[in-house]
Structure formats: C-alpha cells, structure tokens
Amino acid sequence: MTTGALFEDRHTDARMRQTIPQFARLGALTVAVTAPFATDSTRGRLALAGLALAAVAIAQLVSWRNRVDRLSHDAVFVLLLAYCVLIALAVTVTGDANSPYGLLYVIPTVFTAVFFTGWVRYAIAVAAPLINYAIVGQFLDVAPGDQPIRLCLFLLVAHFGAAVAGTLREALRANTALHSVLEASTGNPLDADLAGIGIDAALSVAGWDAGGVVVTEGDRIAIPAVRGISPELARLYTERPLESAAAVIVRPVIGGGGTAEFEDLAEFVGADHPLVVEGIVSLAALPVAYHGAVIGALLVGHRQHRRLDDRERDRLVRVCEQLGLALGSASAYRQETEVAENLRELNRRKDEFLANISHELRTPAATIKLVAATLRSSADRLDADQLAEMYGTLERRSDHLSELIGDLLDEAVADAGETRLAIGPIDWNDAVRRWAEIVTLQTDREVTLSLPPKPVTGAGDAVKLERVVVNLLSNAAKFSPPETAIELRLSGGANPDGIVEVAVVDHGIGIAADQLDRIFDRFHQVDGGSTRVAGGFGLGLSLARHFVEAHGGTLTVESVPGEGSTFLVRVPRSAASVPRLAG
Ligand code: ADP
C-alpha cells in the first residue's frame, strides 16, 4: 500500500492521521446523539449507544499517546474498514436499510481517497457497499438494485477526494521545491549545489526529463549543474561549458531576457548535437535574474515533442526567480566575504608595517647619532682609515634613511594616483652599470653584469627606473647568501619600438609559488611579522611595479624556492608617461 507524496511531509502526515480518530469520534457522537430518534426500541437505542461508545473507545485508543502517528498504513486501512463495519451495524440496529447513518460511509471513503494513492484510493468506496450489503443484508431487506447506485456514488466521492488530494500534493511539492532553493541559499553554498537544487525543483514542478543551469559572469559562461543526461555529457558541459552548444542556446535568452523554446531541438542545433543524440527532443530556456539583471538561464529538456504549457511556464518562472535570488545572493555573499578578507589582510599588514616602520627608521637614525657623537668626542684620536669608515657609515645610513622616507612618500603619491614621470633620454648600458655600482656600495655585494654589445638607448624616468632596479638588486642581496652571485642582465631594444628588458637574478631563498603574486602587494612580506630577518617596509616591489607600469611596462617574477628568483623589468624603449596611474 502506498501513501502519496503529500504525506512524505512528516508534519502534514501527522496532522492528517490525527484527523482520522477525530472524525471517528464525531461520527460516533452523532450516532449517540441521534440514537433516540433512530429507532423506537429501547434495545435498539442501547445498541446504538453501545456502538457509538465502541467507536469512541477505538478512536481514543488509537489517538492515545500519539499512537496514530506510528500506525502503519495497513493498520490505518484496517481501522477504516472497521469503521465501515460499525456503520453497517448501526444501520442494521435502526431496522431501516436506508437509514441516514449510511451517509457516514463518506468519512472513510474520503479519508482513503485522500490518504492513499494508486488503486487503494478507491478500495473503501468499493468495500463500503459490499460490507453494507453483507452485514445489513443479513438482517434487513436490502434492495439489490441499491448497491450499484451506492457503489457509483461512493466512487464519485472517492474520485473527488483523490482529485483534491492530488492538487494539494502537487501544490505542496511545488512549494517544497521552491522553498528548497531558497533554503539552500543560506550560508555559503556553492553555485553547483544551488543550481542542482534549482534543477531538481524545476523538474519536479514541471515534470520534464532533463535540466541544466547556465551562469554568466561577463563573457564567461559556467554550467554549474545538469541533470537527466549521461555522466559523460554532464562532465563535458560542466567542465567545458563554452564548447557545449548550450552556450548557443542560452545566449539569446541571456541577451534578450526572454524565454526561448525549441520544440524540435534537432532543427535548431542539428541531429548530431550531443543532446539530440541523448534523446532530448524539446528544450526550453528561461532567464534567471538577480535584481533585474540576467545572470544566467535555466534549461529544461523533454524526450518528446513538447512546448511548455502555461502552468509549467508559471512554475518554472517562479523557480527561476528563487534561483536568481539564491545564486545572486550567494555570489554577493562570496564577494563581500572576499572584500572583508582582503580588508582584514590589509589591516593586518598595516599593523605589521607600523611595527616595522619604527624599527626600520630608528636603526639608521641611531647609527647616525652614534657615529656623529663619536666624531664629535673623539675625531682627533681617530686615524684616516677609521674616519673614512665612519664617514662612509654616515653616508650609507643617511642614504638608507632617505630611501625609506622616499619609499613612504612615493607610496603616498602612488596611492593618490598622482605619480608623474620625468621622461628624458636614457643610456641603458650606462644606467645599468651605475645601478650595479650603487648596490655594490650599499651592500658590499658584487653584481655580475651582462650587457648587449651595442648600446641601448631610449627614454624614461631615470630616477624612477633606478629606484626600481636598485630595489630589485637590494632585495636580491637581502634574500641570497653573500657567497652567491647576483646577476643584472640588459637586453632588447634592437629596434626603435622594441622593449628593453632588465633581469635581476639571484640564487637565494626563492619565493613559494603561492606568494609570487602577493609580494607585489603593498606591505606584503613573505616572512612578515616577528620571524622577519631582513629589513624593509614591504613597499619596494609594490612601488617598483607601479613605476614600471607607469612607463607602460611590466614587472614579473619567476622563482624556485631554495634556488633563487628572477625579476624581469620590461619597458618600451621610448616610454611615455602613463598619466594618473592609480596606486
Ligand atoms: P621589503 O622592503 O620587505 O623587501 P619588497 O616589496 O621589496 O619589500 O618585497 C616584498 C617581499 O617579497 C619581501 O619582504 C620578501 O619576502 C619577498 N622578496 C622580494 N624579493 C625577493 C627575492 N629576491 N628573493 C626572495 N624573496 C624576495
């Protein structure tokens, strides 16, 4: 025996079951109240009262401690049969085969029609006249011709009950399906999960065979989920959505925002299209929108020639509305989380930066102060070498200090989007040599030069480009052991519009793959925080990339952890300033 989907919902099922004893009690009460009028005999009245009492007792027993909720469907059916027997007995007691008590058969008939599905829905409608005939016919004169009439009437009542229950079930299923889409969108679900639930809802409310959801982001098309097609085709669609002809089908829907229907899909996409080969004959695509903007489409496919009827279209439109809300808010939630995450990270780096800055500025300042104090108190006792060493230290430390302050100022200017380049002629061979010397002076590290035989000349902001390359060379020195080589290679610029390439190569600690992009972020330091060994603000690379891009060039890095890094500056030979480049 089967129950319908209406009662798969636990709550509805429980409510429905509880009404069975309620109606049984009411029926019994009616018999008890009307007993004095139903018969002239006192015995008859007592018998009716006894029957009513029996019915109330059974109803009470069944509903006691929610037992009715736990009854199997077979048991419910047997109870309804027992109810029919009690009614037949009541009719018999009245002594009138056509007693109005016979109307009470409507209660079990309707219950069965509503509560059960399949042929069982009509079982009581058939059983009631038989039970009536079998029991009442034993004692009273029953006109045999009445029974077919009763049977037809009961079948009619059962059919009405079944139709009402069917509509209710469908509405409930549609509602549950719609609800499931929205419910799924809370939390942080994946598009694939939401799309899957959306398709299930669509297929359940429209009764089509296959479905898919297409989501767009700019030019990109994604198919997060499909249903009702072979796993191979499903994989093709979800992994390589653009190659699937779904893209062709949904483009007009996404562009125009209307529904597209293909009653004969083969006519539109050709008989060799994978969907057609899989047996999908008709297809409909409906737009999925979020806040008025189309963000994708819902596709449903049928294995027979079909068009959406009004009811299916209405329901699918509602699924699309919920799906749009779910997908849109999930994506907004993801974006917000990402922004919040980025802000948190930036904040953390700024905190680190503030802690860093005092240390970085104080160290050279303290050294300068110490050397100046030594010079003032004991300059006359120092020999020429010691003096030269001290002046050298003063020079190096104040250079470092002004470099740090320069970085901070440049960063502020870049941040405001006000970087201006002072473009002038550059002799790259000369410049590269000079930059190498600067770094050797600052860090005591040799820089191996590799220059093209012919001089490379061009235009650019020599000061900014020096900052870039000197910064890269200083980093190379900072992040590689002293005994390893630092290389500076100049190449390119063979033709007038060529690109000049400057590569800074070290054989140091290298950079992990997941850090390669992030080292260009402001304040980002791979070993930032308390574990940091090398100095710096974490601004150098961000500024370097900014200056290179202001020249219309690129700054990239390749690195193998433990083996070293290569930073590559590429700028057009005759760079023109790119005005107001945001920081
Ligand atoms: P900093 O002033 O801290 O050096 P940068 O912006 O110049 O700031 O560099 C950011 C981070 O990138 C550095 O802190 C370091 O972790 C990493 N990095 C930069 N250059 C190299 C390199 N040549 N080898 C290894 N790590 C490097």
Side-chain angles (χ1 to χ4, degrees), residues 302-317:
H302 208 290
R303 295 185 186 280
Q304 279 160 18
H305 279 278
R306 281 288 301 273
R307 287 189 78 81
L308 290 175
D309 64 29
D310 287 348
R311 201 187 53 159
E312 289 167 351
R313 190 173 300 107
D314 279 358
R315 289 189 173 169
L316 289 179
V317 165

Side-chain angles (χ1 to χ4, degrees), residues 356 407 471-472 475-476 478-479 506 508-511 519 521 524-527 532 534-542 559 565 567:
N356 211 353
D407 271 2
N471 186 281
L472 295 178
N475 275 351
K478 259 199 294 191
F479 298 106
D506 70 57
I509 60 171
I511 302 158
I519 54 169
D521 292 348
H524 185 80
Q525 297 179 316
V526 175
D527 65 341
R532 184 157 183 82
F537 286 156
L539 280 178
L541 286 180
S542 135
S559 185
S565 316
F567 284 85

Side-chain angles (χ1 to χ4, degrees), residues 318-390:
R318 285 182 57 203
V319 171
C320 286
E321 280 166 9
Q322 308 283 20
L323 191 60
L325 262 180
L327 286 171
S329 42
S331 143
Y333 178 81
R334 275 198 299 274
Q335 277 169 14
E336 261 172 42
T337 319
E338 206 173 297
V339 169
E341 192 51 49
N342 285 346
L343 283 178
R344 252 198 302 278
E345 171 66 12
L346 200 64
N347 204 27
R348 191 190 61 74
R349 277 196 258 140
K350 277 208 166 148
D351 286 348
E352 216 169 272
F353 165 72
L354 284 177
N356 211 353
I357 194 172
S358 60
H359 172 76
E360 287 296 321
L361 292 176
R362 237 183 244 158
T363 314
T367 314
I368 290 169
K369 191 170 176 208
L370 186 75
V371 174
T374 314
L375 283 174
R376 180 209 284 263
S377 61
S378 32
D380 46 348
R381 274 178 275 141
L382 299 172
D383 62 29
D385 281 352
Q386 284 171 318
L387 279 174
E389 166 84 32
M390 288 208 161

